[in-house]
Amino acid sequence: MKNYGVKDVAKLSGVSIRTLHHYDKIDLLKPFNRTEAGYRYYGAKELLRLQQILFYKELDFSLKEIRQLLDEPSFDRLTSLEHHKLALKARKKRIDQLLSTIDNTIYHLKKNTIMKNYKDLYKGLAKEMGTTYRKEAMTKWGKNTIEQSEKDLLKLGKAGFESLKVELATITEELFSIRNESPESKKVQGLIAQHYQIIRQFWGTSVQKDKQASIYAGLGQLYVSDDRYMARDGEAQPEFATFMQKSMQYFSNTQIG
Amino acid sequence: MKNYGVKDVAKLSGVSIRTLHHYDKIDLLKPFNRTEAGYRYYGAKELLRLQQILFYKELDFSLKEIRQLLDEPSFDRLTSLEHHKLALKARKKRIDQLLSTIDNTIYHLKKNTIMKNYKDLYKGLAKEMGTTYRKEAMTKWGKNTIEQSEKDLLKLGKAGFESLKVELATITEELFSIRNESPESKKVQGLIAQHYQIIRQFWGTSVQKDKQASIYAGLGQLYVSDDRYMARDGEAQPEFATFMQKSMQYFSNTQIG
DNA sequence: CTTGACTCTACCCTTACGTCATAGCCTACC
DNA sequence: GGTAGGCTATGACGTAAGGGTAGAGTCAAG
């Protein structure tokens, strides 16, 4: 009949002595006996219980759950494992979403010059074509993007460009008017879909299809960090910025992605 | 210039008032101003900062990290996002492992009769073939499994069965002698591989290939919950049980899975 | 002026221990 | 027998991100 002191158990199992103290205090793992001085001694049974504990702990069960699993025979291991499995799956799904969002964001940060591109377009880039602006932009975001962009705009023609601007303004206005609706509602998402179509015409062929979802989502984030919405004056509409961000994010996740 | 009280901000953003207090205390989000009575009032700028906070929080950044991201312009958003992405990927991988282990365990629990099967085999099932044992076993784990198992064993012949038992005993002895090595070491894993091959011969065709990894891993867990190892007497070898469990688990994860 | 709704600060609680601080215990060596 | 060094025990505080609550002050309406 072997006896193991705290240090032995710690070494054998890999947990810290403090952890053993803790498990003792919360009645998860009691030592086999205690000396008068209070020293803890464990037997083989306790070692094996510890193994079980560690097994379930690795599965991310809480200590409270583990105690129930081990102590209450009525506790249905199978059901709680199935239950736990569902929880883990949910966590995995969430992480996948996070990864996707993070990729969007990274892409957005990397290409924030392209976002600038869009902003400038929206402000009337066409007028400046062929002047000083061009040189600056070229060094900023590379020759090809610019040239493609310009070609697209030229194809559009001045009239076409202006009419797109009007469309965009109109749809934005409509969105503004329903900014209190849920971003995920059909009403909002319908308008967002139109918004997206217009933006795509601005992009022309300069944005590859597989990137459009990311960029569109990033565009939403842009509203929130845009100075025009940040200013603390009467015109600022932070709620609208947030609304647009959420709506566009949701759209790109559910419709484009 | 709009002012939002705590309740307004809470409603607009979806966080609790308590959370706003908290963010104030840790200097993550300070109100625009405070009245003499201490009431907090936020402006549009703060609302947008809160949006940013929530954005990063959704990505599972800690509040401390978020504060750095937002307050220190030197802080490289891109790098920390990439970094964070790696962490998330690691978490995902871990969850995948947990799911796999949990599946193993569930399978093991469901089929614990099959485990019993193995134990009985190991104890000398062959002798009892065709007697009372047979009826009992049939109701326990179904006709097909039994019959297949028996056929396999018969094919093996008494001599073959005994020789397998010797092989198993030998290899188990060897494993016992190196139970202080790391379960993941090549030395151990090499012997475990042989152990696995022997077990497979016991299984014959009665265990499908795609289930072998799960069952083998479950078999490891069996050592730990086996009464023979649980007894608190001089013969008990809990460390060996643990060792076998870990080694077999690792093997099934890396070699068979 | 009172009522009811709102807000403030401050403190304790949660998980699963890590990290001390302080004190008692045990054994070996002199 | 005394003591040094190593081991152990208890207790308290800290961690992250707030939840919950008490007790007290504040505000606007009737």
Side-chain angles (χ1 to χ4, degrees):
Chain A
M1 176 137 117
K2 263 187 187 170
N3 269 345
Y4 304 88
V6 275
K7 201 173 185 182
D8 306 322
V9 177
K11 240 180 226 164
L12 280 170
S13 65
V15 309
S16 74
I17 293 178
R18 183 61 181 83
T19 300
L20 293 175
H21 287 174
H22 186 57
Y23 289 178
D24 187 359
K25 183 176 288 175
I26 66 172
D27 293 330
L28 178 59
L29 180 69
K30 290 290 195 191
F32 178 49
N33 76 341
R34 306 275 294 256
T35 68
E36 282 191 12
Y39 282 34
R40 294 169 175 82
Y41 286 97
Y42 298 83
K45 230 171 199 162
E46 286 72 31
L47 281 185
L48 286 161
R49 184 178 168 97
L50 181 50
Q51 285 308 316
Q52 306 267 23
I53 292 170
L54 295 180
F55 174 74
Y56 285 111
K57 198 160 89 86
E58 262 212 32
L59 293 181
D60 267 17
F61 279 83
S62 75
L63 297 187
K64 201 182 285 180
E65 287 170 315
I66 295 175
R67 204 171 44 201
Q68 290 182 312
L69 277 170
L70 297 184
D71 289 344
E72 295 169 28
S74 68
F75 220 82
D76 186 351
R77 284 162 166 70
L78 199 53
T79 305
S80 62
L81 278 172
E82 300 273 17
H83 192 76
H84 199 66
K85 184 174 161 184
L86 290 181
L88 284 175
K89 275 192 176 167
R91 266 155 71 177
K92 186 179 164 186
K93 193 174 162 193
R94 174 172 155 74
I95 288 186
D96 275 332
Q97 287 174 347
L98 296 188
L99 281 173
S100 140
T101 306
I102 233 172
D103 275 336
N104 280 351
T105 309
I106 287 174
Y107 187 85
H108 164 53
L109 279 174
K110 279 189 181 160
K111 299 281 178 179
N112 66 18
T113 46
I114 286 190
M115 299 305 147
K116 241 189 168 61
N117 182 0
Y118 162 71
K119 284 214 296 193
D120 290 347
L121 276 177
Y122 184 61
K123 282 179 184 168
L125 173 151
K127 299 178 201 162
E128 310 234 19
M129 230 180 279
T131 70
T132 49
Y133 159 81
R134 204 167 176 283
K135 281 181 238 155
E136 229 188 282
M138 276 216 188
T139 62
K140 264 192 194 164
W141 5 291
K143 210 171 166 181
N144 290 337
T145 310
I146 301 300
E147 288 184 343
Q148 190 56 55
S149 212
E150 288 180 348
K151 270 184 216 160
D152 290 338
L153 289 172
L154 284 175
K155 251 187 289 180
L156 217 56
K158 185 151 189 158
F161 184 71
E162 290 302 324
S163 103
L164 269 185
K165 272 175 64 180
V166 171
E167 280 188 52
L168 194 55
T170 309
I171 206 86
T172 305
E173 194 65 34
E174 285 189 61
L175 278 161
F176 185 82
S177 73
I178 58 166
R179 66 190 178 283
N180 290 322
E181 306 267 335
S182 157
E184 302 179 6
S185 67
K186 283 199 177 163
K187 203 165 166 186
V188 169
Q189 288 293 308
L191 282 178
I192 286 289
Q194 296 177 45
H195 183 259
Y196 173 60
Q197 293 309 325
I198 300 171
I199 299 283
R200 278 184 59 189
Q201 294 182 59
F202 276 106
W203 282 341
T205 62
S206 65
V207 173
Q208 284 149 28
K209 283 203 173 175
D210 60 336
K211 303 294 183 189
Q212 294 185 349
S214 300
I215 298 194
Y216 191 64
L219 219 54
Q221 180 62 11
L222 179 70
Y223 275 86
V224 164
S225 51
D226 190 311
D227 288 348
R228 284 174 297 170
Y229 297 96
M230 280 284 283
R232 191 190 284 114
D233 59 43
E235 307 260 39
Q237 290 297 342
E239 298 144 42
F240 181 55
T242 302
F243 166 80
M244 285 299 285
Q245 187 209 343
K246 283 187 183 164
S247 304
M248 292 165 75
Q249 178 90 42
Y250 183 74
F251 182 78
S252 70
N253 280 340
T254 58
Q255 299 306 118
I256 324 180
Chain B
M1 176 138 117
K2 263 187 186 170
N3 267 347
Y4 304 88
V6 276
K7 200 172 184 184
D8 306 323
V9 177
K11 240 180 227 164
L12 280 170
S13 65
V15 307
S16 74
I17 293 178
R18 184 66 183 78
T19 300
L20 291 175
H21 287 174
H22 187 58
Y23 288 178
D24 185 1
K25 182 176 289 176
I26 65 172
D27 293 331
L28 178 59
L29 180 68
K30 290 290 194 190
F32 177 48
N33 75 340
R34 306 275 293 256
T35 68
E36 282 192 11
Y39 282 35
R40 294 170 176 80
Y41 287 96
Y42 299 83
K45 230 171 199 161
E46 284 74 29
L47 281 185
L48 286 161
R49 183 177 169 99
L50 181 51
Q51 285 307 316
Q52 307 266 23
I53 291 170
L54 294 180
F55 175 73
Y56 284 111
K57 198 160 89 88
E58 262 213 29
L59 292 182
D60 267 16
F61 278 85
S62 74
L63 298 186
K64 199 183 285 180
E65 288 170 315
I66 294 175
R67 202 171 46 202
Q68 290 181 314
L69 277 169
L70 297 184
D71 289 343
E72 295 168 28
S74 69
F75 218 82
D76 186 349
R77 284 161 166 70
L78 199 52
T79 304
S80 61
L81 277 172
E82 301 272 18
H83 192 75
H84 199 66
K85 185 174 160 183
L86 289 182
L88 284 175
K89 276 191 177 169
R91 267 156 69 178
K92 186 179 163 185
K93 194 174 161 192
R94 174 173 154 74
I95 288 186
D96 276 333
Q97 286 174 348
L98 296 188
L99 280 174
S100 143
T101 305
I102 231 170
D103 274 336
N104 281 351
T105 309
I106 287 174
Y107 188 84
H108 164 54
L109 279 175
K110 279 189 181 160
K111 299 280 178 179
N112 66 20
T113 47
I114 287 191
M115 299 305 148
K116 240 189 170 61
N117 183 0
Y118 162 71
K119 283 214 297 190
D120 290 346
L121 275 178
Y122 184 61
K123 282 178 184 170
L125 173 151
K127 300 176 200 161
E128 312 233 19
M129 229 180 280
T131 72
T132 50
Y133 157 81
R134 204 168 176 282
K135 282 181 239 156
E136 226 190 283
M138 275 216 187
T139 63
K140 265 192 195 162
W141 6 292
K143 210 170 166 181
N144 290 338
T145 311
I146 302 298
E147 289 184 342
Q148 189 56 55
S149 213
E150 289 179 348
K151 270 184 217 158
D152 290 339
L153 289 172
L154 285 175
K155 250 186 290 178
L156 217 56
K158 186 151 187 157
F161 184 71
E162 290 302 323
S163 104
L164 269 186
K165 271 175 65 180
V166 172
E167 279 189 53
L168 194 55
T170 310
I171 206 87
T172 305
E173 194 65 34
E174 284 189 61
L175 278 161
F176 186 82
S177 73
I178 58 165
R179 65 189 180 284
N180 291 321
E181 306 267 334
S182 158
E184 303 180 5
S185 68
K186 283 199 177 159
K187 202 166 167 185
V188 170
Q189 287 294 308
L191 282 178
I192 286 289
Q194 296 176 46
H195 183 258
Y196 172 61
Q197 292 310 323
I198 299 171
I199 299 282
R200 279 184 59 188
Q201 295 182 58
F202 276 105
W203 283 340
T205 62
S206 65
V207 172
Q208 283 149 29
K209 283 205 173 173
D210 59 336
K211 305 292 184 190
Q212 295 185 349
S214 299
I215 298 194
Y216 191 65
L219 220 52
Q221 180 63 12
L222 179 70
Y223 275 87
V224 163
S225 50
D226 190 308
D227 287 348
R228 285 175 295 171
Y229 297 97
M230 278 286 281
R232 191 191 282 112
D233 59 44
E235 309 259 39
Q237 291 297 342
E239 298 143 42
F240 180 57
T242 303
F243 166 78
M244 285 299 284
Q245 186 209 344
K246 283 189 183 159
S247 303
M248 292 166 74
Q249 178 90 42
Y250 184 74
F251 182 77
S252 70
N253 280 341
T254 58
Q255 298 307 118
I256 323 179

